[in-house]
């Protein structure tokens, strides 16, 4: 089956000048992929008639579906509707149902309908209006030479509602699309390049219609296996079969299947075993606890923590001996071990995690340069400590450290230690 | 003076499929605008040689500068470098300095340099390498027929560092652009729409060559006044004159001039007054302390904090009376006040901040729905508490709360209370 191709065109200077981040296109990309439509290009252009026409011509030369957002506001710098009317050699006419929607919207807000907003109900004669129940700019659906053009507002919640209610269902009905299935495999602890080497033979053995994507994020790599086919059940089975080969290749680095962040995967492991944890943070300064508590329901397994930023807090609250700090320094195995063990005891949890390091940009020494970080994980039987050395920005040193100590916990829980 | 035009091309399926949001282009757009370069188009395409070449040809027909991100990874689905070598009719050659950087990176991480990563040091002969100190993919700077092409990795922190250190300065030197000056005014505590109303008369009175941008971020709005002209000194003076009108209009909401985050502005105030602070967090779960410790040198004024996630930690470590928790609940003025006062006393600081609320998505009740959050700031003389009610996602509730409690501290320090 021939793939159905879509392109997305966003109109407006605010994206080009970086005043807003274009989150619409990513959302549209996910939704289109979900119905088996392949997005070939996303193009952001300015509110300029010539440029809009050029973008439309370029897009239609490659795609079956052209989705346009933005430039539908009531102000005079919003050209999209007029450009589209010219582009499709048609004129504007008052669209009563849209006017009714707009009037209702203003009534709800208890404000007078302005002439500018009334003008928004005038639509190109040759288009089918796409209802916008959340805003004043209706969408427009055009068809020409078998291609579909849809223009929508750039306001995210308006666009999303119109896509979900009208555009996606109608595209699904209009085009016969292949089934697209994704399998996500989450790994941590192996650099992308090393992971790729381990998977090379398997990856090259994949049939044409299965594609593997490496999606690295802080300290981990998300693997996405995408399959395309006409028989959904057979495709699902084929993907599953391929995924089941992975534990044999990279078993100990896989922490989850599907869209599950590391902290949530660890939370599940702790809950299954009825374990609780606490944190003692120096260099991560609260980010580790933040990552943990970003998981809804984490209160079931996370008791709390201490941010022992100043050494006085390390001695007073975590009972680190002043002589230990004196002798080894705050960034040392001795101190980070004691921090993990003592916070565990202090808050009465099964597990204690600790971090102590030099996040930078200042505070480095020849023996302990910026990016020298100690992490530890203590449970009732043992304490494991590890030294990290990063040379990243302050924030990245902090973020990578949090992922590393969470992975230390994952390993101490015996996760995938077999290979 | 003729405007210098740039286009941005991002390469990689993950953006098209919506697996990641393209935040790079917005950042680049802001930076390019900042040096007087006009971004005309942002194009996201897939890892496909034909498509990459087409995008390069389209872009060069409109722009002087073509910035390319992505497709430089070590894996075989990354084509950019080879496509560029063909496009500029040149071949790949080992670039020793880049290999040295890559080797050093692996040495720091204490892992073996892989062949795949060694391959990344092979660069097109006709390009100038752009150093990448944070990753394994060097950038490439090409010049042809007066146009500049720069290829960079898609990893945000690598790209940003390369842009800041090398690409932006070199573009500024290579092209003669009009003088662009910015004044950034940081506000917190007023919604964008209300701020816009307060500033309407002033904004409309601005001359053509001065433009105001509202850049909202969590709980605050960055105002950026941009001026363009040939006489830099006169422009600077004119901008300064306009900025000096703002305190009279929105004085108490301005926390800084220039690119200073709220937590850093507060840190400066504390340091000037020789004050220290501590945090007691429930619903923010460490994010407040993280925001504070994201400021380099924050150890000078931030002592540490407690994450009292579980009520047991609130009673045991913060001495909140069980009957208080019983009577008012953990999310209450009584509890959050006691948390702020007690953490201040416990860690011996001048100021204590506390948060307690229902971040969601679960845990709400009819009386205390999700988004009900209490914050408090205690100093030696007084404790101020405030109730917030948000109906955002868990993460946004947490982030907005941290900003709100920092603003409470700013106000309790008497900042800009005059209007």
């Amino acid at each position: 089956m021939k793939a159905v191709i879509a392109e997305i065109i966003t109109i407006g200077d605010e994206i080009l000048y970086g005043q807003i981040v274009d989150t619409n296109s990513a959302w549209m990309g996910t939704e289109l992929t979900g119905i088996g439509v392949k997005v070939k290009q996303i193009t952001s252009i300015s509110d300029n008639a010539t440029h809009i026409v050029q973008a439309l011509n370029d897009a239609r030369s490659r795609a079956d579906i052209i989705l346009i957002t933005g430039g539908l506001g009531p102000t005079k710098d919003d050209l999209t509707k007029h450009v589209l009317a010219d582009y499709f050699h048609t004129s504007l006419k008052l669209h009563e149902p849209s006017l009714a929607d707009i009037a209702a919207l203003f009534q709800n807000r208890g404000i007078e309908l302005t002439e500018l907003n009334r003008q928004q109900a005038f639509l190109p004669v040759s288009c089918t209006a796409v209802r916008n129940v959340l805003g004043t700019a209706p969408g427009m659906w055009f068809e020409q030479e078998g291609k579909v053009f849809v223009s929508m507002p750039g306001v995210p919640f308006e666009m999303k509602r119109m896509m979900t209610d009208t555009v996606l269902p109608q595209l699904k009905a209009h085009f016969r699309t292949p089934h697209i299935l994704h399998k996500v495999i989450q790994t941590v602890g192996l650099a992308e390049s090393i992971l790729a080497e381990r998977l090379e033979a398997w990856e090259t053995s994949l049939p044409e219609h299965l594609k593997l994507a490496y999606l690295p994020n802080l300290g981990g790599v998300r693997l996405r296996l995408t399959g395309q086919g006409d028989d959904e059940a057979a495709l699902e089975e084929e993907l599953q079969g391929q995924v089941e080969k992975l534990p044999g290749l990279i078993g100990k680095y896989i922490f989850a299947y599907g869209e599950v962040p590391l902290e949530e995967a660890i939370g599940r492991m702790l809950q299954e075993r009825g374990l609780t944890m606490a944190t003692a943070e120096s260099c991560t300064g609260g980010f580790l606890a933040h990552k943990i508590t970003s998981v809804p329901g984490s209160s079931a397994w996370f008791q709390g923590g201490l941010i022992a930023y100043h050494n006085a807090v390390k001695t007073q609250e975590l009972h680190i001996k002043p002589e230990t700090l004196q002798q080894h320094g705050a960034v040392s195995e001795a101190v980070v071990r004691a921090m993990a063990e003592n916070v565990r005891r202090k808050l009465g949890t099964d597990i204690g995690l600790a971090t102590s390091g030099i996040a930078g940009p200042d505070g480095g020494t020849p023996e302990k340069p910026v990016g020298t970080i100690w992490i530890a994980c203590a449970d009732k039987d043992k304490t494991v400590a590890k030294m990290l050395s990063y040379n990243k920005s302050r924030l990245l040193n902090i973020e990578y450290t949090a992922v590393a100590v969470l992975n230390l916990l994952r390993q101490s829980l015996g996760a995938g230690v077999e290979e």
Side-chain angles (χ1 to χ4, degrees), chain A residues 17-93:
Chain A
Y17 296 171
Q19 288 176 5
I20 61 168
V21 172
D22 171 26
T23 54
N24 284 352
S25 300
W27 185 88
M28 294 166 95
T30 314
E31 295 302 313
L32 289 164
T33 307
I35 63 166
V37 171
K38 193 172 188 312
V39 177
K40 188 163 172 79
Q41 181 165 316
I42 300 167
T43 312
S44 298
I45 59 174
S46 60
D47 253 309
N48 170 291
T50 332
H51 201 175
I52 294 173
V53 169
Q54 186 185 38
L56 289 170
N57 287 333
D58 291 347
R60 80 184 298 160
S61 72
R62 292 177 296 250
D64 310 293
I65 302 165
I66 296 94
L67 299 178
I68 306 142
T69 62
L72 295 183
T75 58
K76 64 173 176 349
D77 56 339
D78 289 298
L79 304 172
T80 307
K81 184 170 66 180
H82 304 280
V83 173
L84 287 173
D86 296 345
Y87 188 77
F88 292 109
H89 313 295
T90 181
S91 59
L92 298 179
K93 181 167 169 301

Side-chain angles (χ1 to χ4, degrees), chain A residues 82-141:
Chain A
H82 304 280
V83 173
L84 287 173
D86 296 345
Y87 188 77
F88 292 109
H89 313 295
T90 181
S91 59
L92 298 179
K93 181 167 169 301
L94 179 64
H95 184 250
E96 292 294 351
S98 297
L99 183 59
D101 281 343
I102 297 169
L105 211 64
F106 274 76
Q107 205 164 17
N108 288 338
R109 296 178 188 164
I111 40 176
E112 195 90 359
L113 175 63
T114 67
E115 178 52 30
L116 272 178
N117 291 108
R118 193 174 163 282
Q119 289 296 330
Q120 295 188 280
F122 281 78
L123 299 179
V125 176
S126 69
C127 83
T128 312
V130 179
R131 193 171 182 202
N132 179 0
V133 292
L134 298 176
T136 55
M140 295 166 273
W141 174 295

